[in-house]
Amino acid sequence: IFCRDEKGLNIAKLTLSKLDKKCIEDYLLWLTDARGSSPSTYNQRLCAIHAFFDYVMTEEPSYMEHCLQILKIPSMVAPTPQAKYMTPENLKLLLSMPDVSTKKGRRHLVLLTVLYDTAARVSELVDICMRDVRLDFPAVITLHGKGGKSRTVPLMKQTAELLRSYFAENHIDVRRNPDMPLFWKGSRHKLTRSGITYIVQKYADMARATDTGMPTKISPHVFR
């Protein structure tokens, strides 16, 4: 599109010699100025162009200098996005939202507390089984992460107490049900990632209605 509409080139007769460093640089400038592309999009396009001309260089050595000039075009430095986080006050307010007078509310409080205390990814949280929880001192939870890697995370005293109450209320015997998910939905199937996201957002919306100082977007990853 750029070569046809901006450069006025006949695409059917487009040759490598016309795709020189100046043409590529003009294209990248057009991406940012005319199309408003982000640094990420700029770098993705440049990466594809670099890969193509790296291939051309190996197939047609006579174009080596031509390709090397294009391969020297640097990527755009993208600003590092600011990490989103909650203040201690934000977290305290959010954890006060579940209605602990109900069984469901108490379960959600345990879920939110474990999510915070372990800094687990959502995928790790849904995969926690009863055998992964040890409440004897020192209390820990084993998380199973990417690539089959596992790590053991110590629990705060308050989190361990919440889990003990949770086990007692639900009559959980870890020795009899070691493979049972720690957090489940109907028929005791493990919660899904979308289910946990829904729970987090539900209480985040409730907290935001109480205090406008809450972050505008709170996801499970913000707990990490």
Side-chain angles (χ1 to χ4, degrees):
I1 292 171
F2 169 77
C3 288
R4 183 192 64 200
D5 299 346
E6 302 297 320
K7 289 290 189 180
L9 298 173
N10 184 338
I11 302 302
K13 297 181 179 180
L14 189 62
T15 61
L16 279 172
S17 60
K18 293 177 181 178
L19 295 176
D20 57 8
K21 181 182 179 182
K22 178 67 167 56
C23 179
I24 301 301
E25 288 177 334
D26 288 346
Y27 163 69
L28 294 170
L29 187 64
W30 172 76
L31 268 183
T32 55
D33 291 352
R35 306 196 73 169
S37 297
S38 66
S40 176
T41 299
Y42 176 105
N43 291 335
Q44 288 173 0
R45 300 292 185 273
L46 180 59
C47 182
I49 291 168
H50 279 170
F52 172 70
F53 280 97
D54 189 54
Y55 165 77
V56 170
M57 187 168 58
T58 60
E59 293 295 314
E60 293 289 341
S62 60
Y63 279 96
M64 182 172 291
E65 184 59 32
H66 178 98
C67 294
L68 285 173
Q69 290 301 315
I70 293 171
L71 291 171
K72 289 178 182 177
I73 299 174
S75 299
M76 182 182 290
V77 178
T80 303
Q82 185 177 2
K84 297 178 181 179
Y85 64 93
M86 288 184 286
T87 65
E89 292 75 20
N90 292 156
L91 182 65
K92 185 177 180 180
L93 177 61
L94 192 149
L95 293 178
S96 71
M97 289 297 105
D99 182 1
V100 294
S101 67
T102 67
K103 186 174 182 179
K104 184 177 182 180
R106 290 190 291 273
R107 180 167 68 96
H108 287 172
L109 175 60
V110 175
L111 185 150
L112 294 173
T113 304
V114 171
L115 181 63
Y116 163 71
D117 196 9
T118 62
R121 299 180 179 88
V122 178
S123 58
E124 294 172 339
L125 190 69
V126 300
D127 286 339
I128 297 175
C129 294
M130 296 304 173
R131 67 171 179 270
D132 297 321
V133 182
R134 190 186 76 186
L135 297 180
D136 295 334
F137 183 82
V140 297
I141 281 182
T142 300
L143 301 176
H144 304 282
K146 297 178 180 179
K149 296 180 180 178
S150 299
R151 66 183 188 280
T152 300
V153 182
L155 297 175
M156 294 187 296
K157 181 180 178 180
Q158 299 93 323
T159 306
E161 289 300 325
L162 282 174
L163 282 165
R164 287 191 186 93
S165 299
Y166 176 67
F167 280 21
E169 182 176 14
N170 291 279
H171 309 291
I172 295 170
D173 186 335
V174 177
R175 289 172 295 182
R176 289 186 178 182
N177 303 284
D179 296 323
M180 178 180 166
L182 180 61
F183 301 111
W184 65 84
K185 51 184 179 178
S187 302
R188 298 217 168 181
H189 294 300
K190 69 180 182 180
L191 272 174
T192 61
R193 297 176 64 172
S194 59
I196 290 175
T197 300
Y198 170 80
I199 291 169
V200 169
Q201 291 180 347
K202 171 186 173 180
Y203 293 112
D205 290 342
M206 291 171 61
R208 201 173 294 112
T210 303
D211 182 359
T212 56
M214 290 290 290
T216 54
K217 185 177 181 181
I218 297 176
S219 66
H221 190 75
V222 172
F223 281 68
R224 282 174 59 80

